[in-house]
Amino acid sequence: MKISERAISALGRVLTGSSGISPYNSGPELVRFFNELGANDAYGQGFPSRWRYAEEKIRDLNGTTRLVEVFHSVLDPRNFLETQFSLEPVVQYLNGYLKYDGYELVRHGETYRVRETEGALVELEVPRQEAGEIGYEFIDEQIDKCGRKIFEGDYDGAITNARTLLEAVLVGVEGKVSGETLPYDGDLPKLYRRVQRLLELDPGRKDISNTLRQVLSGLTSVVSGLAGLRNMMSDAHASTSRPSKHHAKLAVNASKTVADFVLEVFMRQTNGESITEETDLESGV
């Protein structure tokens, strides 16, 4: 991650507390902050001004994955407990600078994460109402890992987590719908076909339109392709090819798209709705 000098100064102002929208950090506190990120500094005589020290340390980390850790540490909600400040104005302030560098801070649970604004990944929102029953925490962990590994350039790992994400959603939904935990032998397309039958997503159904049938058939092909891509390029096997960023983004976005659809259908059917309900476009209904 590489940001401009103006963004470095803005982050330094937030970290030191001189921006007026964040807690004040003394010299010793700033040293402790950066030492927790791998520095080995000591506070004492001759120590530079707080803002100069903060900017120099941020500048040293600029262009590395450690800079992401700086943002995540600065935006830790615990830093704002028992203070007069809140996190949201800080996020808005920093995003005003980061957008010119191709990044943005987005909400992730109780905190915020850095992501690239160019070619952003598909967002997957897991229905927390069913969280504990379909393994929300593990699914959320895989979503986080997918984005983080692409951001850090670990494209092999991102592809592996993309498949793990989809497996977790399918296994969770299958268990919830069937009422039992069925064995999974690692055959992703076979697992998807089982869930497909449980959720009545079979493209061969006679009561659905040709358009929906094509979409459902396409999802089956996507799952098969994702399994093949993972086997060929991920870090789970001896790779025959080295993936590039666009390969990893394709795998992650494909996995999230299928997972999102499966979860949406699962929730709709849980509420007694049907996927065959179609909108009359001509009448505007």
Side-chain angles (χ1 to χ4, degrees):
M1 180 183 186
K2 190 173 181 63
I3 60 177
S4 64
E5 280 295 315
R6 290 189 178 185
I8 289 174
S9 296
L11 180 56
R13 288 192 290 272
V14 169
L15 181 54
T16 58
S18 59
S19 62
I21 58 174
S22 58
Y24 175 91
N25 279 309
S26 64
E29 288 172 329
L30 292 173
V31 169
R32 183 166 56 253
F33 176 90
F34 285 105
N35 283 350
E36 290 177 354
L37 295 176
N40 187 27
D41 298 334
Y43 184 81
Q45 187 175 3
F47 191 80
S49 63
R50 294 182 308 111
W51 68 266
R52 184 181 298 278
Y53 172 76
E55 286 194 14
E56 287 178 351
K57 299 303 293 187
I58 295 170
R59 199 170 288 114
D60 289 342
L61 297 174
N62 198 21
T64 72
T65 57
R66 280 296 180 89
L67 184 59
V68 178
E69 296 180 41
V70 173
F71 277 99
H72 293 171
S73 296
V74 168
L75 298 174
D76 189 324
R78 292 169 295 186
N79 296 335
F80 296 82
L81 294 176
E82 301 181 10
T83 75
Q84 61 179 332
F85 305 102
S86 60
L87 187 54
E88 286 67 28
V90 174
V91 172
Q92 185 177 4
Y93 173 72
L94 292 175
N95 273 338
Y97 290 90
L98 290 177
K99 66 181 180 181
Y100 296 103
D101 298 330
Y103 303 100
E104 66 176 340
L105 300 168
V106 294
R107 193 166 188 85
H108 180 82
E110 297 298 323
T111 184
Y112 287 84
R113 291 286 186 266
V114 181
R115 77 172 181 187
E116 295 177 283
T117 53
E118 183 177 351
L121 294 173
V122 170
E123 291 296 321
L124 170 58
E125 183 178 354
V126 180
R128 291 174 182 259
Q129 181 181 359
E130 301 292 334
E133 300 180 45
I134 60 174
Y136 169 78
E137 290 185 0
F138 182 73
I139 292 171
D140 192 52
E141 179 183 342
Q142 301 311 309
I143 295 172
D144 185 52
K145 286 182 176 180
C146 284
R148 176 165 51 82
K149 288 185 178 180
I150 289 179
F151 196 85
E152 295 174 353
D154 181 6
Y155 305 134
D156 295 300
I159 291 174
T160 295
N161 287 114
R163 171 166 175 155
T164 303
L165 165 63
L166 184 54
E167 288 174 336
V169 170
L170 293 176
V171 168
V173 169
E174 181 181 45
K176 185 67 173 62
V177 176
S178 68
E180 58 180 329
T181 302
L182 301 176
Y184 173 52
D185 59 4
D187 188 331
L188 183 61
K190 183 169 73 175
L191 173 64
Y192 179 70
R193 287 193 296 270
R194 295 201 314 236
V195 174
Q196 194 178 51
R197 287 192 294 270
L198 286 170
L199 296 181
E200 300 179 351
L201 297 175
D202 185 357
R205 286 175 54 177
K206 303 300 184 183
D207 60 337
I208 60 176
S209 67
N210 288 331
T211 301
L212 183 55
R213 182 175 294 108
Q214 289 176 334
V215 172
L216 294 178
S217 297
L219 290 179
T220 301
S221 298
V222 167
V223 173
S224 297
L226 179 61
L229 183 66
R230 186 258 191 175
N231 291 336
M232 182 175 67
M233 291 184 173
S234 78
D235 62 357
H237 303 282
S239 300
T240 58
S241 304
R242 299 298 299 175
S244 298
K245 183 177 182 179
H246 63 286
H247 296 132
K249 290 178 66 177
L250 173 64
V252 171
N253 284 335
S255 175
K256 286 184 175 181
T257 298
V258 177
D260 182 71
F261 180 70
V262 168
L263 287 169
E264 182 68 21
V265 171
F266 165 67
M267 292 300 296
R268 284 173 65 92
Q269 293 190 2
T270 299
N271 295 329
E273 303 176 42
S274 170
I275 67 163
T276 61
E277 297 175 0
E278 298 179 7
T279 302
D280 187 340
L281 297 180
E282 293 184 0
S283 65
V285 176

